[in-house]
C-alpha cells in the first residue's frame, strides 16, 4: 500500500482521536480526585533510611512530617517487619527537632537521638524512650556497636578537642563585649557558614545498655576523640573537621573523612580518609596520601578486613569523577576497580560475602543501584527507572532501600541483590491515607 499525503492525514487524525478519547476517559476518572497542591505536598510524610537488625527480620526507620496549619514539624520512630511488611509506631510523634540516628542497641532494644541526646526504647508501641546518654553538647550522626558496647557520634568542639570544656568556652564567648572576628586566611566562609573555632569531631564512648534498664542515665566524661592525634593545626579556624565516617561491625576500627586544613583550603579539594583504632590508642593512618582530590563514602566489609571509598583524583576539580578504591586492612594493599566506568557513584555498601559492592549512582535522571564485582569491576544494574535514596544489607541476598518514582512517594522496598527491578517488594505506604483521593498525574 502506497502512503500518500491524504493517508498520512487520515492516520494522524485517527491517532489524535484515540489520544483524545484516552485523555477524556482519564480526565473523567480523575474528576473524582483532587490535585496534589503545595500544602498537601509539604505535609507528606518523609521516610528515613532503615537500619536493619542483623539477626532478625526487623528494621528501624524514622518518619517526619510538616503540619502547614500549625507550622510545626513532627517525627517518630517505627519498627518494620521485613518479612510481612507490618509497621509499628514505637514512639509518639515528637514535636520540633527530628528524631535521628536510629540504631540497634541489642536484639530487643532500639536507640535514637533526639535533641542531641541518646534514648533507648524497648520496642513497646506508642511509648516514650528513656534517656541513656546526654553529653554536655548535642551529638549527631550516631551509631552503636553491641559487640564492644561502644557509641560513636560526632560533636562540635573547640580547639582542645574536649567535650567537657565546650560549656566553658561557650560561656566565655557569651561574656565577650564584642562579636568581631579576624580572618587571616581566605577560608573565612563556606557557602552560608562562617568559619569559627568550633569544629565537628568523631568520638567514641562505652555505653552500657543493661545499666539503663531501670531508666538510669549514663554520665558523660569518658569520651575518646578519635581525631585527637591528627597533626596539630595552629590556626583554630582551620582545624580538622569531620565530613563522614564508617565503623567496622565489631566496633574496633573506624575510617573517617576530613578536609586537610591549611592556607590553601579556599581552593583546594584535598579531602582525606584516615583509618584508626576505636580505642584511640593508635595514630590515625592516612589512606589517601597519593591523591589531592576529595575522598568520600567509606564502607567496611562485613568482616572488617577491607574498606572501600570513593575518590576524586584531579586536584582542584570539584566535579571530578569518583573512582572506587579498596584498601586491605591486613596487608596494607590499596587498589582501584572499575576504572572504565563513566558514571560517578556517590554511596556504596558491601555484599555479605564481600564479593560485590552495591553502589548508588545517578544516571539519566534516575538514582540507580548498580552491582560491582570486586574482582573484575564488572557492573550490573539492579534497579531501573526511579530513584533509590538509601540502601542497607538485608540478610545474605537482599537489600533494604528507600525508593521513589514520578508516581509514587518514597517508601521502603526489599530488593533481591542479584536480580532486577521486577523483584522489588514494597514494604511501607507511609502516605497511603493522604494520597488515596489525590490525582498525581
Amino acid at each position: 500500500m502506497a502512503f500518500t499525503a491524504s493517508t498520512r492525514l487520515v492516520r494522524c487524525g485517527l491517532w489524535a482521536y484515540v489520544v483524545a478519547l484516552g485523555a477524556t476517559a482519564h480526565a473523567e476518572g480523575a474528576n473524582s480526585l483532587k490535585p496534589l497542591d503545595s500544602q498537601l505536598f509539604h505535609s507528606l510524610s518523609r521516610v528515613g533510611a532503615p537500619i536493619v537488625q542483623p539477626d532478625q527480620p526487623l528494621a528501624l526507620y524514622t518518619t517526619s512530617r510538616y503540619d502547614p496549619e500549625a507550622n510545626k514539624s513532627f517525627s517518630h520512630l517505627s519498627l518494620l517487619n521485613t518479612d510481612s511488611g507490618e509497621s509499628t509506631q514505637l514512639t509518639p510523634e515528637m514535636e520540633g527537632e527530628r528524631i535521628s540516628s536510629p540504631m540497634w542497641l541489642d536484639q530487643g532494644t532500639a536507640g535514637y537521638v533526639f535533641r542531641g541526646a541518646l534514648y533507648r526504647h524497648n520496642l513497646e508501641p506508642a511509648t516514650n524512650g528513656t534517656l541513656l546518654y546526654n553529653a554536655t553538647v548535642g551529638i549527631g550522626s550516631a551509631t552503636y556497636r553491641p559487640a564492644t558496647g561502644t557509641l560513636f557520634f560526632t560533636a562540635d568542639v573547640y580547639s582542645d578537642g574536649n567535650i567537657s570544656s565546650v560549656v566553658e568556652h561557650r560561656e566565655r564567648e557569651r561574656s565577650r563585649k564584642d562579636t568581631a572576628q579576624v580572618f587571616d586566611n581566605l577560608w573565612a566562609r563556606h557557602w552560608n557558614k562562617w568559619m569559627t573555632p568550633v569544629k565537628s569531631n568523631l568520638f567514641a564512648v562505652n555505653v552500657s545498655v543493661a545499666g539503663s534498664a531501670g531508666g538510669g542515665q549514663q554520665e558523660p566524661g569518658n569520651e575518646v576523640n578519635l581525631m585527637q592525634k591528627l597533626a596539630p593545626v595552629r590556626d583554630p579556624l582551620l582545624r580538622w573537621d569531620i565530613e563522614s565516617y564508617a565503623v567496622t561491625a565489631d566496633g574496633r576500627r573506624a575510617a573517617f573523612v576530613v578536609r586537610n586544613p591549611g592556607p590553601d583550603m579556599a581552593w583546594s579539594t584535598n579531602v582525606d580518609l584516615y583509618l584508626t583504632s576505636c580505642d584511640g590508642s593508635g595514630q590515625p593512618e592516612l589512606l589517601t596520601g597519593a591523591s589531592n582530590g576529595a575522598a568520600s563514602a567509606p564502607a567496611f566489609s562485613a568482616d572488617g578486613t577491607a574498606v572501600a571509598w570513593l575518590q576524586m583524583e584531579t586536584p582542584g576539580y570539584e566535579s571530578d569523577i569518583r573512582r572506587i578504591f579498596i584498601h586491605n586492612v591486613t596487608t596494607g594493599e590499596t587498589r582501584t576497580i572499575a576504572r572504565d566506568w563513566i558514571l560517578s557513584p556517590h554511596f556504596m555498601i558491601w555484599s555479605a560475602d564481600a564479593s560485590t559492592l552495591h553502589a548508588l549512582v545517578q544516571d539519566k535522571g534516575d538514582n540507580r543501584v548498580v552491582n560491582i564485582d570486586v574482582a573484575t569491576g564488572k557492573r550490573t544494574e539492579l534497579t531501573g527507572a526511579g530513584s533509590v535514596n538509601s540502601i542497607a544489607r538485608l540478610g545474605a541476598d537482599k537489600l533494604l532501600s528507600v525508593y521513589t518514582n514520578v508516581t509514587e512517594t518514597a517508601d521502603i522496598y526489599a530488593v533481591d541483590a542479584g536480580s532486577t527491578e521486577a523483584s522489588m517488594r514494597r514494604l511501607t505506604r507511609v502516605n497511603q491515607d493522604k494520597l488515596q483521593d489525590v490525582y498525581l498525574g
Side-chain angles (χ1 to χ4, degrees), residues 335-377:
R335 62 190 180 98
T336 179
I337 64 171
R339 299 286 302 185
D340 60 332
W341 200 12
I342 63 172
L343 297 181
S344 187
H346 55 89
F347 180 80
M348 57 189 176
I349 62 173
W350 290 81
S351 63
D353 61 2
S355 65
T356 303
L357 285 169
H358 308 294
L360 292 182
V361 60
Q362 291 185 347
D363 182 25
K364 302 181 181 69
D366 297 313
N367 207 33
R368 306 174 188 267
V369 181
V370 176
N371 287 347
I372 306 164
D373 188 288
V374 172
T376 66

Side-chain angles (χ1 to χ4, degrees), residues 163-358:
I163 287 180
S164 58
S165 64
V166 170
V167 173
E168 179 183 348
H169 283 287
R170 287 177 177 173
E171 290 298 327
R172 189 180 301 128
E173 285 188 350
R174 291 191 187 101
S175 64
R176 286 181 57 179
K177 303 301 182 182
D178 65 87
T179 58
Q181 177 66 60
V182 177
F183 296 95
D184 57 4
N185 61 79
L186 292 178
W187 192 247
R189 184 179 174 89
H190 188 240
W191 296 107
N192 63 341
K193 179 182 178 182
W194 289 100
M195 294 299 106
T196 73
V198 177
K199 304 296 179 185
S200 183
N201 283 195
L202 175 62
F203 291 87
V205 63
N206 288 329
V207 173
S208 173
V209 179
S212 66
Q217 174 186 342
Q218 177 161 324
E219 294 298 324
N222 297 314
E223 301 83 4
V224 177
N225 189 334
L226 299 184
M227 296 167 52
Q228 191 72 24
K229 293 186 177 181
L230 292 174
V233 181
R234 297 180 63 181
D235 189 338
L237 300 180
L238 300 182
R239 292 188 304 105
W240 302 95
D241 197 6
I242 191 168
E243 297 195 358
S244 62
Y245 74 95
V247 182
T248 56
D250 62 8
R252 301 190 181 281
R253 287 192 180 94
F256 58 87
V257 175
V258 288
R259 181 177 292 274
N260 192 8
D264 62 347
M265 288 182 73
W267 60 87
S268 172
T269 58
N270 189 11
V271 179
D272 285 321
L273 177 70
Y274 285 84
L275 183 68
T276 188
S277 60
C278 290
D279 59 4
S281 60
Q283 187 74 22
E285 176 188 359
L286 176 63
L287 299 185
T288 53
S291 174
N292 288 322
S296 61
F300 280 102
S301 59
D303 62 3
T305 60
V307 58
W309 73 92
L310 301 173
Q311 181 71 54
M312 293 184 181
E313 297 177 301
T314 307
Y317 186 29
E318 291 186 337
S319 299
D320 196 16
I321 191 170
R322 299 182 188 92
R323 300 296 186 186
I324 300 172
F325 281 72
I326 299 175
H327 177 78
N328 188 307
V329 176
T330 304
T331 66
E333 176 190 6
T334 300
R335 62 190 180 98
T336 179
I337 64 171
R339 299 286 302 185
D340 60 332
W341 200 12
I342 63 172
L343 297 181
S344 187
H346 55 89
F347 180 80
M348 57 189 176
I349 62 173
W350 290 81
S351 63
D353 61 2
S355 65
T356 303
L357 285 169
H358 308 294

